[in-house]
Structure formats: structure tokens, C-alpha cells
Amino acid sequence: ILKMMNRRYSFDEYLGRVEKIRRAIPGVAITTDIIAGFPGETGDDHKATISALKEIEFDGIFAFKFSPRPMTRAAGMEGHLSEGVKSGRLSEILGLQDAITEARNKTLEATTQEVLVEGPGESGPERVTGRTRTNKIVNFSSTGNITPGMLLQVKILKGLRHSLEGTTITIKTGNVER
């Protein structure tokens, strides 16, 4: 399927690169894009995708069903799958990834993360939303004058499926902590 998608690497080469990056940069977050139901994808090909998700354990994925785009080579390929098959495969991929992402987020519980403030949270004036250096969404409690663009040290209390919950430890303004 990778070759049919005009990718110039094998799964083993891709896996080797992921492992090399993780050795070189501990704590790095790795994401990927996945197309479910590319023309000609067999049940075994789909199982290989599931196996790859389990082996690599991405922090997150962007996944969608194949949809033919006019004037592309893939649009004219044989072996297009039914919407039902594509939807089923996409659901399986997303369900597995949700479990993986939640498990990876839980490993951050009780750690301190530097968070870039994006703005107020949705659940009240004492809640703030931001992102870690690895682009994980963090919703946290904070007192004081917190504004977008500030860097905060946030203790992660809970890892959830799509975000982290935490509380502010320190606020950095320039080179000063308070």
C-alpha cells in the first residue's frame, strides 16, 4: 500500500526512523497521518496498520477514510472499498489510537511540564488552557494574572484521552519566576 501511495519507504525504514528519533530525543511526541481504505487495501493490509499502531504507539494521529480526489492517480485505481468497509476500518484505527494516546498521557501524571498559555479555559475564570512543548493540550487551574503567551510550570494531575489536567506551580515572566 505504501508503494501504491507513492511513498518511497518501507514500514521497517519508517520504524527505524521513529526508534532513532526516540533514542535521540527522549520524551519526543510523534504523530502521523493514516488513510483507511486506500484502493486495493486488503484485510491483511489493515491488520498490518493496526499492528504498526500497537508497535509504534504514536502520541496522536490524523486519520481519515480514503476519498478519491479528481485528477489523481488514486481516483482511477481499481479496488475501491465500500464506505462501510472504510468506516469500519477507520473506527477501529481511531479506537485503538484513543487507547494508546490516553495511556501515553497517563505516563505524564505527577510530572511537571512547561506549558505555553493559549487562553482561558471553558469551565470558569480560574481555568486556563495551554500546550506542552510536545503539543499536548493542558487544562489547568491557576490564580493570578495569566495571559496568553506566558510560560508556566504545570504539575500534571491527570492524563486523559485527548488532554491533560493540571495545576500551576510557577509562572515565568522573562527570566523571573513567581
Side-chain angles (χ1 to χ4, degrees):
I1 294 296
L2 288 172
K3 187 176 279 187
M4 289 171 35
M5 294 173 76
N6 203 26
R7 301 305 189 264
R8 294 187 174 103
Y9 52 83
S10 68
F11 171 72
D12 288 336
E13 290 169 325
Y14 185 91
L15 179 61
R17 290 175 184 162
V18 168
E19 290 170 344
K20 185 176 181 179
I21 290 166
R22 285 187 170 150
R23 279 192 305 273
I25 310 167
V28 70
I30 298 177
T31 63
T32 195
D33 296 351
I34 296 177
I35 299 172
F38 193 81
E41 181 184 86
T42 66
D44 285 343
D45 294 327
H46 175 67
K47 287 178 187 172
T49 298
I50 295 298
S51 178
L53 285 172
K54 290 176 180 176
E55 186 170 0
I56 295 172
E57 292 188 340
F58 293 102
D59 288 81
I61 63 171
F62 300 97
F64 44 92
K65 296 184 290 188
F66 171 81
S67 59
R69 302 279 191 263
M71 311 280 291
T72 63
R73 192 171 63 171
M77 289 180 171
E78 293 189 18
H80 283 261
L81 304 177
S82 72
E83 286 300 312
V85 169
K86 292 189 290 188
S87 293
R89 290 179 180 178
L90 179 61
S91 289
E92 184 177 2
I93 288 166
L94 292 173
L96 173 58
Q97 185 58 48
D98 279 348
I100 291 168
T101 299
E102 184 172 6
R104 290 187 69 82
N105 284 349
K106 285 189 177 302
T107 67
L108 296 175
E109 291 178 356
T111 67
T112 299
Q113 301 291 315
E114 185 174 55
V115 174
L116 177 64
V117 175
E118 290 184 339
E122 295 178 6
S123 58
E126 293 180 2
R127 299 292 290 168
V128 182
T129 297
R131 291 185 186 258
T132 67
R133 288 191 171 270
T134 57
N135 203 35
K136 295 182 185 298
I137 296 170
V138 184
N139 298 298
F140 54 98
S141 59
S142 187
T143 57
N145 190 16
I146 305 297
T147 57
M150 294 178 84
L151 286 174
L152 308 178
Q153 295 296 311
V154 176
K155 181 172 184 177
I156 304 303
L157 304 175
K158 189 163 180 77
L160 304 169
R161 183 174 293 164
H162 299 291
S163 64
L164 304 168
E165 292 286 331
T167 188
T168 303
I169 296 175
T170 60
I171 301 170
K172 284 186 176 180
T173 46
N175 292 330
V176 179
E177 286 189 6
R178 49 184 173 113

